[in-house]
């Protein structure tokens, strides 16, 4: 067959299996989302619809890939934890990385109009992704703690910054100058004394990010603000309360895999 | 800062640079597109709108990434050639792979309604991708020859198969049986004698796939059947004729990189 | 400097760090040692001097690299366990692999004449090596259990085979035929009934391999048959008894790393 | 079998094939050879016997591995070029790297007493190694040009430095100070005016390093100063003149591989 004389080029496709029995964290980030959020006039400091769209894309990704047991999102990034025993796509790195990034991207574009019915997508947005391997639970917990601490730091800064700009009538340059060298307590104080904002009462989603957990019976625990009719139609149970990551890891210790089927799936990472 | 105690988890993000000065071929494939084409009633054996949508997504990807100098598409797959001197994203494999896959996917979903105005997308489709390194021009040419030979083989089979089913009233099982063990000349003969189809007159896009070439002045040579007003609005010159890959490589030898700026960009892979 | 125009070639030296916080197992194997053992008339089924020389090379390798906490040898292979926190050579794979292989090889050749004073080395022997990563203790234990089970299987076969040849006057072809399809109990029976050999009384080194463990105060636990004056001169304590691997792992559980300095070093893998 | 329950640990041995059809350069370096050369009182700035021993180990390595077509050595390092079509050990990186490093090390220790009959080896020396891939001839040539330029730079410095110390009665600190900021012509001038040394007449091996080339009929071209009886006994032809690398690449262009068997093997890299 004519094709056979060229088929040797397949020999250049080298195997890329990931180490077995290690946790996979897949993280996706918006590509040039500063420009993207400007082009679509995202509300500052947080655009609730944009965050809900991210959550929706993340949920779709979890539904398509049952070995994802936990996801955490903030701003234009989302992290997914795959259980360490996963054999998804024979643990081939490129296959996993490209498929998950594609799935997330596709859902984001597909669901856009549901969250922004009045705002047509100006151009196709893209994301980049990466996979990181973690051998133990400790690193996995610290990874998510790291992302959530990042959420807190960024959100406190952004909330104070935009209060200074939007309500305090500072220029962005002035607002950056005001915040230079300040600590968390200083920012809390600025919010409270100047703008009468108690930071701790701000929507938990903004302060702590979104957490999606796969539970027994394939139910998701989704944050309480996720008032999605669609979710219930799918038979997905809405949780009663948001789950900051610290609670998730307390309630669902990342236990060793067991044969038991009564445990929550998170218990069988 | 609270974040610093967790930041060690970044040490698990290992570097993944691709070998310098080698050609990169990025190939994207539809994920479960058999199901996807059924769900959207794609015309058999070829759906011209679906192929045009693939071409559009490929063009967007080339526009977003100037180091892509050539692309070849067939069915639900597309291959992209990046020049060997490219330093895109510092040649970090995961970054390149995920970004290109995401860009292609995003464009596909974004432009869907333009090609299927009467057929809403049922669910978000996804693609997988891979990057293959080739050290020399010979392998690059053979890679694209391999994909084009594959196009020919598949299309001749599918064209004959669906003629037997759609016009010859065979069941799909019967049609497979009819074709078992046949050679190309047999299929050509079946098409001509039973259905009065001269295979060589079928749309070149179906027989030979789509070829996109980056030319001097950032013009694309696009197949003649690409009657896209949008292309001209962007200032992209439409070529006079389709370019089977053999012509492309003859007309634009994959020469060594030179300092000259008068050459076509393809000449400076 | 003349050198700078060529220095770009260093860009092709790509980084190859191993995943942090995973156990490293380095295994070295004799290259073409069937030929090598014939050329040097090694005693069958086991040559005690050849095994002692392997142990000596392994000990040298452990002394040169303090992060090796355990080693296991059989026949012409040796496996070394590096603690999971090791940062040896910044965990660069090629550097570790090549250095350890070189060290082992060098010691083997260097000490040859001490174990074979009457038998000059005919030509320089070589070894190949590999590094395998294991994320958890379970796999590390199973790795060494696997090598020790292999030792048992091979040694029981070889012991019976050579008894049939050397004492039973069978040809090697006949001996292989005699053993075809036999189980362990059959081989034990052959040894006992035909040759009056109680397999369980054979030197533990032959049946179970050699185990080297790094203990507190940099003392080695070495098998009792290691009557090496040199060891004592170096201040290395000889252990009272051989340590089959199962005992090692019982006595020295592969505990989590701690700050305590009173534990055995093995306890701080 | 008892062994099968543990055999899963082999799944952690991941494949590591090198990209096909690229040149492999294997470089070996002495590990802590500053200490090693002190311990064995190597002559400064160059110890001819130590360099001959390096050459011998390199020759052994080339003999054991026919796909090595060129080698270049200086000081305590040696670089080997494997032809790009090589399929040695199925191009598995760890296997190649460890075997070649082991072979070189083994030969070095094995042949020590032949070059230093009066100076017993104090302890087993070790080397580290690495493999670098180069896609084209240009990079291969530049790689060896880089090593040879390095040889020149180091040797001119060292020759002048030790002349200042050994003949000029400077301390090493003074000698370094004398040379700080000097250019090549300054060092040449110091050698000529103070010590009556014409640098260009110094042994070419010291100035240009050693070059070993595999030629047709498995003959080596070895530098003229390689007065080795042993070589002739092996039927290896001694070359009439040293071959600086620039001549090697002129005489034996790194041509494309051909089917011809009359060409020199170097011509079929």
């Amino acid at each position: 067959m004519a094709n056979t004389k060229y088929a040797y080029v397949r020999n250049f496709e080298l195997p890329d299996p990931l180490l077995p029995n290690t946790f996979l964290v897949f993280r996706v980030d918006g590509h040039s989302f500063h420009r993207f959020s400007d082009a679509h006039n995202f509300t500052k400091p947080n655009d609730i619809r944009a965050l809900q769209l991210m959550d929706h894309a993340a949920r779709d990704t979890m539904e398509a890939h049952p070995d994802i047991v936990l996801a955490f999102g903030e701003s234009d990034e989302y992290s997914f934890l795959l259980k360490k025993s996963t054999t998804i796509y024979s643990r081939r790195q490129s296959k996993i990385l490209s498929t998950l990034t594609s799935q997330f991207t596709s859902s984001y574009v597909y669901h856009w109009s549901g969250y922004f019915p009045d705002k047509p997508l100006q151009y196709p947005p893209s994301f980049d992704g990466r996979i990181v391997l973690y051998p133990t639970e400790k690193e996995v917990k610290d990874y998510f703690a790291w992302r959530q601490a990042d959420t807190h730091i960024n959100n406190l800064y952004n909330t104070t910054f935009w209060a200074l700009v939007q309500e305090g009538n500072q220029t962005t340059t002035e607002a950056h100058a005001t915040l230079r060298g300040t600590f968390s307590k200083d920012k809390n104080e600025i919010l409270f004394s100047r703008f009468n904002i108690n930071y701790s009462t701000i929507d938990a989603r903004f302060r702590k990010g979104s957490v999606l957990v796969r539970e027994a019976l394939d139910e998701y625990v989704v944050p309480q603000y996720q008032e999605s009719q669609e979710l219930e139609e799918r038979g997905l149970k809405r949780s009663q309360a948001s789950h900051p990551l610290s609670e998730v890891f307390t309630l669902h210790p990342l236990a060793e895999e067991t044969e038991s089927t009564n445990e929550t799936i998170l218990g069988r990472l």
Side-chain angles (χ1 to χ4, degrees), chain A:
Chain A
M1 199 176 324
N3 219 357
T4 54
K5 72 185 264 206
Y6 302 126
Y8 80 91
V9 298
R10 293 212 64 178
N11 298 336
F12 291 76
E13 297 181 7
L14 304 181
D16 63 348
L18 296 166
L19 190 67
N21 206 32
T22 42
F23 295 99
L24 274 61
V25 168
F26 164 66
R27 183 171 74 239
V28 72
D29 287 275
H31 185 70
S32 299
F33 258 49
H34 190 80
R35 171 188 163 222
F36 184 78
S37 63
D38 283 350
H40 296 86
N41 293 309
F42 280 3
T43 302
K44 305 289 185 186
N46 291 290
D47 190 302
I48 182 72
R49 296 179 299 177
L51 294 175
Q52 285 170 333
L53 175 55
M54 289 290 289
D55 290 346
H56 201 146
R59 265 192 341 264
D60 279 3
T61 305
M62 284 185 80
E63 279 187 35
H65 299 286
D67 285 354
I68 301 174
V69 291
L70 181 71
F72 174 76
E74 61 158 321
S75 184
D76 64 342
E77 76 164 52
Y78 237 101
S79 297
F80 298 86
L81 174 64
L82 284 86
K83 56 184 183 181
K84 67 180 182 179
S85 64
T86 186
T87 55
I88 180 175
Y89 302 130
S90 305
R91 297 180 77 95
R92 285 177 291 148
Q93 172 153 252
S94 292
K95 181 84 171 179
I96 301 169
L97 173 63
S98 60
T99 302
L100 296 187
T101 305
S102 181
Q103 175 68 66
F104 188 92
T105 304
S106 189
S107 291
Y108 189 92
V109 178
Y110 182 81
H111 294 298
W112 173 272
S113 61
Y115 291 87
F116 293 98
D118 52 328
K119 216 181 263 186
L121 200 49
Q122 300 298 303
Y123 61 88
S126 63
F127 295 83
D128 64 68
R130 76 176 64 214
I131 290 173
V132 189
L133 296 180
Y134 290 110
T136 73
E137 290 172 27
K138 179 181 185 304
E139 294 129 4
V140 169
K141 291 179 183 179
D142 285 350
Y143 173 84
F144 285 102
W146 173 55
R147 297 324 301 145
Q148 197 166 51
D150 188 75
T151 305
H152 169 69
I153 291 164
N154 290 338
N155 189 63
L156 178 56
Y157 188 96
N158 292 337
T159 300
T160 316
F161 177 85
W162 287 106
L164 289 167
V165 170
Q166 292 167 349
E167 303 182 44
N169 294 315
Q170 291 194 357
T171 64
T172 55
T173 307
E174 290 166 346
H176 280 304
T178 301
L179 294 177
R180 194 162 299 128
T182 58
F183 295 103
S184 289
K185 64 175 169 49
D186 304 321
K187 298 190 191 73
N188 274 298
E189 180 60 22
I190 289 171
L191 284 173
F192 191 71
S193 62
R194 295 201 206 175
F195 306 109
N196 203 29
I197 295 172
N198 181 345
Y199 183 72
S200 66
T201 62
I202 286 177
D203 190 342
R205 176 205 293 274
F206 300 154
R207 291 181 292 112
K208 297 183 176 180
S210 298
V211 182
L212 301 177
V213 182
R214 187 182 301 282
E215 294 219 344
L217 309 174
D218 279 307
E219 293 157 7
Y220 289 98
V221 174
V222 289
Q224 66 189 104
Y225 36 74
Q226 195 74 39
E227 298 293 344
S228 167
Q229 188 63 25
E230 178 205 16
L231 262 185
E232 301 198 6
E233 283 164 8
R234 289 186 196 161
L236 296 175
K237 207 173 75 179
R238 210 161 15 80
S239 83
Q240 299 308 84
S242 70
H243 279 280
L245 271 175
S246 59
E247 288 180 37
V248 170
F249 283 111
T250 302
L251 295 172
H252 306 277
L254 295 168
E256 283 300 296
E257 291 188 63
T258 83
E259 296 303 318
S260 162
T261 55
N262 284 330
E263 296 181 34
T264 63
I265 290 173
L266 186 65
R268 286 183 278 119
L269 286 184

